[in-house]
Amino acid sequence: MTYSATASETYSYTTADVEAVARRFTADLVMIGQSSAAITEEKAREYAHDVEALAKKGFLEKVDLTLLSGGVELRATQYMVNTASGDLTMSRPGGVMWPRVANAYLRIILFWTDDYTLTQQAAMSGKLKINWSPTSDDTNHTGLKATGGRDYASNAFGMQRKDFAT
């Protein structure tokens, strides 16, 4: 006799879940900005605002933060959006005290979903605080080593953080 079984799970989240996760991302970004002195807290909050706004609309796929000095990558963190994050747990923000270096530059690159069409971009442009522009910068961080990460999740919405350092 043979038995077979299937199972499926449905995940859902609300804007409150996105806001809960976005608060942890914002805390990380503010810490990175303050510790590295690469951006001000005000600017960090503007970037975080846009990340949250895009995430709430379902347009955000990934965020890449990279600390450069003289064009050389020193630290990086990537946040992958996960909308079926039932297996993730909510971690506390932190672990992102990045060094102060000469000629520090914090590069922030957003990756969006295919749903973020030109029409959607035009509709969102007045709601974003940063004037985002296309880039071809490499975000593979091949010169850095993976050093860990954290998960931020609320119900089915989550961001998985992966850290990289020299």
Side-chain angles (χ1 to χ4, degrees), residues 139-162:
T139 59
N140 288 323
H141 309 300
T142 53
L144 303 176
K145 297 175 188 168
T147 59
R150 295 182 185 207
D151 294 337
Y152 302 139
S154 180
N155 291 316
F157 185 83
M159 294 178 89
Q160 293 174 281
R161 191 181 93 192
K162 293 182 181 177

Side-chain angles (χ1 to χ4, degrees), residues 5 8-10 14 27 30 41 51 56 98 126 136 156-157 161-162:
S8 66
E9 293 183 48
T10 303
T14 66
V30 168
E41 180 176 342
V51 166
K56 281 181 177 177
W98 289 6
S136 59
F157 185 83
R161 191 181 93 192
K162 293 182 181 177

Side-chain angles (χ1 to χ4, degrees), residues 10 21 28 44 56 59 80 86 93 98 106 110 122 126 131 155-156:
T10 303
V21 172
D28 279 356
K56 281 181 177 177
F59 298 143
M80 295 293 299
W98 289 6
L106 184 63
L110 303 185
N131 186 19
N155 291 316

Side-chain angles (χ1 to χ4, degrees), residues 11-34:
Y11 299 102
S12 66
Y13 62 90
T14 66
T15 56
D17 295 316
V18 175
E19 290 168 356
V21 172
R23 280 193 295 274
R24 269 114 178 126
F25 170 80
T26 301
D28 279 356
L29 185 54
V30 168
M31 278 187 255
I32 288 168
Q34 289 177 339

Side-chain angles (χ1 to χ4, degrees), residues 26-119:
T26 301
D28 279 356
L29 185 54
V30 168
M31 278 187 255
I32 288 168
Q34 289 177 339
S35 63
S36 68
I39 60 172
T40 64
E41 180 176 342
E42 179 182 353
K43 201 65 174 177
R45 292 190 183 282
E46 289 178 5
Y47 283 111
H49 168 274
D50 288 2
V51 166
E52 182 177 335
L54 291 166
K56 281 181 177 177
K57 294 287 188 183
F59 298 143
L60 187 66
E61 181 177 299
K62 181 171 80 172
V63 180
D64 185 277
L65 309 175
T66 306
L67 177 65
L68 301 110
S69 175
V72 177
E73 292 186 357
L74 301 175
R75 296 274 178 106
T77 297
Q78 292 182 335
Y79 296 84
M80 295 293 299
V81 172
N82 183 334
T83 57
S85 67
D87 296 336
L88 301 180
T89 58
M90 182 68 95
S91 300
R92 298 178 70 136
V96 285
M97 299 298 285
W98 289 6
R100 287 182 187 231
V101 296
N103 303 315
Y105 173 70
L106 184 63
R107 182 182 65 202
I108 301 174
I109 298 176
L110 303 185
F111 296 80
W112 41 72
T113 64
D114 292 339
D115 294 337
Y116 197 47
T117 62
L118 292 175
T119 303

